[in-house]
Amino acid sequence: MRSPAHRALLATLVAALVAAAVVAWWTADRWLPHAGPWTEQAWKKITRPGPGTLPPGKQRAAPAHAAAAGASQPVAPQPRKCVKDGRTTYTDQPCPKGTQELPVDGAVTSLPRAQ
């Protein structure tokens, strides 16, 4: 069994925790908007740790050829917007003669396959 002093201490701690929970719930509308972004960031870091969170001895260095690998791949063609007589055509080739090339506003989601 526990001594009366020990039981009183535990009861006081439980009462303090319950009181703190009630106060936090009661005032949540004041502090929750400020703590929301921080809690989301902390939750993402806890549940999806990245390579920077590994201990120093466990981190793997990127291979030297990894940086050069991206340079050998061909660059994706840039979309072009060609306008002639009110008709708009999107292509990844130079615009045909007689058309006006305009900047592409927004995002183009698909282009015809290169032949």
Side-chain angles (χ1 to χ4, degrees), residues 13-114:
L13 286 175
V14 168
L17 285 174
V18 169
V22 168
V23 168
W25 174 77
W26 191 267
T27 61
D29 57 337
R30 292 185 188 167
W31 59 265
L32 196 56
H34 303 289
W38 177 83
T39 55
E40 287 177 19
Q41 181 182 9
W43 182 252
K44 285 180 184 176
K45 193 165 192 162
I46 291 169
T47 58
R48 295 179 213 97
T53 59
L54 293 173
K58 299 288 184 176
Q59 292 178 351
R60 283 191 266 160
H65 67 282
S72 64
Q73 296 176 352
V75 176
Q78 295 297 315
R80 298 168 187 251
K81 180 178 180 179
C82 306
V83 179
K84 180 179 181 181
D85 299 329
R87 284 187 46 186
T88 303
T89 306
Y90 292 94
T91 182
D92 59 347
Q93 304 295 323
C95 289
K97 286 187 177 182
T99 61
Q100 179 184 10
E101 184 172 339
L102 297 174
V104 177
D105 50 342
V108 177
T109 57
S110 63
L111 290 172
R113 281 188 160 297

